[in-house]
Amino acid sequence: MIIHDGAHTTEVLNVLSAEIKYPDSLRAITEKAVQILEQSVNPIGGVPDHPSDGLLYGLIQSGKTSIITVAAAMAADNGFQCILILTSDIDLLYDQTKERAVKALRGLHVLGKNDWKDAPRFERQLKTTPFVVVCSKNGSKLKSLLEAFKAAHAKGLPTLIIDDEADQASLNTNTRKASKGGAQVSRINDVITEFRNFFPVNTYLQVTATPQALFLQAPDHNYRPSYTVLSEPGPGYVGGEAFFESTGRILRDVDLHEIDQLRATNQPSPTDTVPTGLKKALYTFFVGATSKVMKDPQECYAFLCHVSVSKRDHEHIVNLIDRFKGDAINILQSATTKSYETLVKGLREAYDDLAKTEPSLPGFDEIVEKIKFYLKGATIKLVNATSSEEVKLESVYNIFVGGNKLGRGVTIKNLLVSYYGRNPKKPNADTVLQHARMYGYRTKDLGVTRLFLPERLAEHFRLIHQMESALRDLVKKYPKGKFEGLYISSPLQATRRNVLDPNSIGYYVAGRMYNPTYPLRTQQALAHTKSLDAKLASYDGTSSGQAVTIDLLIELLHECKANPEYGVELWEMKTITVALEKLKALKKPDGNLQYGNKAYLIVRRGRKLETARRETQGIHNSGEEALAPTDAPALFMYRQDATSKGEVEVWWPQLRFPDGNYVMAFSFDR
């Protein structure tokens, strides 16, 4: 499909140019939108032979919405008559999505989630194409919209379905139960599937920064994207590398027990004292925000406290901070008390800490005077399912306290200080990464930015950042989306288990051995045997493991053919290749490569094995596992003689993954 620019595309780019000052960034956004449309169904080409679906994979708060709006405008310019945007059921996020669509797509009628209640009017509106519909991912809302489309006889509309945060609510949450022979398809997933089936000419575009659950669907699953468009952040973006690859310049440790003190749940008498770490975080915020406002009086700044999903905990923390604010206002009015000296000492420590990364701070005494002035106007907002508060900056100091409502999708402008304490026993990597609201276009504020959290949770974020970096590197190599493996470090798991079929998930575990159940030993295998004979001729077959490269291991493994009659799940060469390439790219916390291109090769000849093995059973003799160190992947190559059954001589491989605290997860066809 050849993509043409048109009036809608030109208009949306004009709107975005007011926010995005870099021409290169606008070009990059346009290029990604073109990639999406190029791989979409031809809206004027009739019903396609195959479904059209893909993934826009971006970073947290990196500008995916801009790509979505440009793609929507471009779709309207190129023959799509309906652009359906599916978004969060949280009102805060739904309103944010719809407002952005209305602001950017000014030449299109944007319908909201209540605009199809009047059936005759809705049918009239559908006749003016192209148009946009923004619907929340709520089962009842989705079903009512689908019925409205049916009543309006709109089946023939070429449609681009954009599913924002597609990994959150769109997947079948009964998948795990269904794998055991029970449970129906979850409602939201069922209705979205109906939408995809209702419009014969449609492209389904999933959008997320955390595609773990999508990539772990079976390769032929219709919610596993068939192609991936990888978006990159523009200038000024601050991501995991700033927080978790640096020397800790903006990371501040909090005692893990302090988080428990803040949780009112199950505490008969919750403390009324603001813990030390939270107090330091608030002092840091007041000093940092004040220093910014003194240079730019029009701006306002934000503080985020995210430690729990419990509404009772949220209310308790809001009350704590509110009392802290009141006490601080009273103390600052009296400059002679001991309490005043203690408070000013805390502000001074925060000031000295920020000065390490922001050398242009105004004078300390000036900042204290401004804090006295601004503190009375500070707003403390409870943002959870029971509140109607919006994440808007209304004063110089804006303090937001909440849980899941602040955990995905929402953009917090001018966020300077975050205090984080979510600590589940078995954290999901995608959920934790979505909590990284401190990521975004924040370079101008980086000097006064701080993240307060316990070291254990900081380590979770470091591991997840490594996982994300490794996955994005591999998606660049495999954009068709079929062979991405997920690197997972304990104690993390990739995603919630209810959306995965355990019967179609495989794992390569650190330190474990893997081998084909049985090698291909027919006459056509002889060519590979001779090729491997030549490549391995210099290895005498008596010494211990010899240091080689992972690249050589991959080259040798591609010559080792498994017999498909015995079944192939774990021993799948494309998946193994991805896993080995991922090992090459893994980095330590200090930025150095974890394994690099290092590997070991062990060669043995004259073996006579004729019995099939499980893929994790191994084919080595006793003691041979110790022939190579465990600090890098090791390939054991065993040359098997011809058998009495007429099977040819063949090389039978066994691969051992290096030691470490990780698994590689992937999906396969059952």
Side-chain angles (χ1 to χ4, degrees), residues 242-478:
F243 292 92
F244 305 111
E245 284 187 7
S246 65
T247 56
R249 287 166 57 83
I250 58 179
L251 211 60
R252 295 296 176 265
D253 187 34
V254 170
D255 190 326
L256 188 60
H257 297 295
E258 177 175 310
I259 305 301
D260 293 330
Q261 294 175 30
L262 286 169
R263 292 186 176 134
T265 311
N266 301 323
Q267 290 189 50
S269 301
T271 178
D272 288 337
T273 304
V274 176
T276 302
L278 179 55
K279 192 178 294 185
K280 287 182 177 179
L282 289 166
Y283 286 152
T284 301
F285 172 60
F286 294 144
V287 172
T290 304
S291 72
K292 298 292 290 185
V293 170
M294 289 173 69
K295 297 175 183 178
D296 190 351
Q298 302 300 316
E299 285 290 5
C300 302
Y301 293 91
F303 176 100
L304 172 63
C305 180
H306 184 178
V307 301
S308 170
V309 295
S310 166
K311 298 169 189 173
R312 185 182 171 194
D313 293 347
H314 302 158
E315 293 166 358
H316 172 61
I317 294 167
V318 166
N319 287 327
L320 272 184
I321 296 176
D322 195 48
R323 282 195 293 271
F324 174 79
K325 169 191 167 182
D327 291 343
I329 290 170
N330 292 331
I331 291 169
L332 286 170
Q333 303 310 310
S334 175
T336 59
T337 65
K338 189 172 182 179
S339 295
Y340 179 85
E341 292 176 2
T342 301
L343 191 153
V344 171
K345 181 183 177 183
L347 292 173
R348 182 79 213 195
E349 290 173 351
Y351 179 90
D352 291 343
D353 178 59
L354 290 173
K356 297 174 184 177
T357 53
E358 183 54 73
S360 63
L361 287 176
F364 176 69
D365 291 339
E366 296 176 76
I367 286 179
V368 172
E369 288 302 313
K370 285 294 185 181
I371 291 174
K372 288 181 185 180
F373 180 77
Y374 289 128
L375 189 55
K376 291 179 182 178
T379 59
I380 304 164
K381 290 188 176 183
L382 173 64
V383 184
N384 63 19
T386 61
S387 75
S388 58
E389 295 282 14
E390 297 185 51
V391 184
K392 290 186 177 180
L393 306 189
E394 298 173 342
S395 61
V396 171
Y397 309 136
N398 299 269
I399 298 170
F400 300 108
V401 179
N404 286 339
K405 203 169 182 178
L406 291 170
R408 181 187 278 265
V410 65
T411 298
I412 304 175
K413 184 183 178 184
N414 291 350
L415 176 62
L416 296 185
V417 178
S418 299
Y419 181 92
Y420 182 82
R422 288 279 293 272
N423 187 29
K425 291 181 180 178
K426 197 70 174 176
N428 295 326
D430 51 1
T431 300
V432 175
L433 183 56
Q434 285 287 350
H435 293 169
R437 295 297 103 195
M438 60 279 188
Y439 293 6
Y441 290 93
R442 308 191 190 279
T443 298
K444 64 183 177 63
D445 298 326
L446 197 56
V448 291
T449 294
R450 292 292 185 269
L451 171 61
F452 288 78
L453 77 172
E455 173 56 31
R456 179 193 296 179
L457 305 187
E459 182 60 20
H460 290 176
F461 275 106
R462 286 191 195 98
L463 295 172
I464 291 167
H465 174 62
Q466 293 173 17
M467 291 168 56
E468 180 188 45
S469 298
L471 177 58
R472 288 178 67 84
D473 287 344
L474 282 170
V475 169
K476 290 176 184 177
K477 279 194 169 185
Y478 300 98

Side-chain angles (χ1 to χ4, degrees), residues 161-188:
I161 304 172
I162 300 173
D163 190 346
D164 198 12
E165 305 294 352
D167 60 309
Q168 182 186 22
S170 303
L171 296 173
N172 179 15
T173 56
N174 290 328
T175 299
R176 189 175 182 84
K177 293 179 182 178
S179 71
K180 300 175 182 178
Q184 296 179 339
V185 175
S186 56
R187 189 178 187 193
I188 293 174

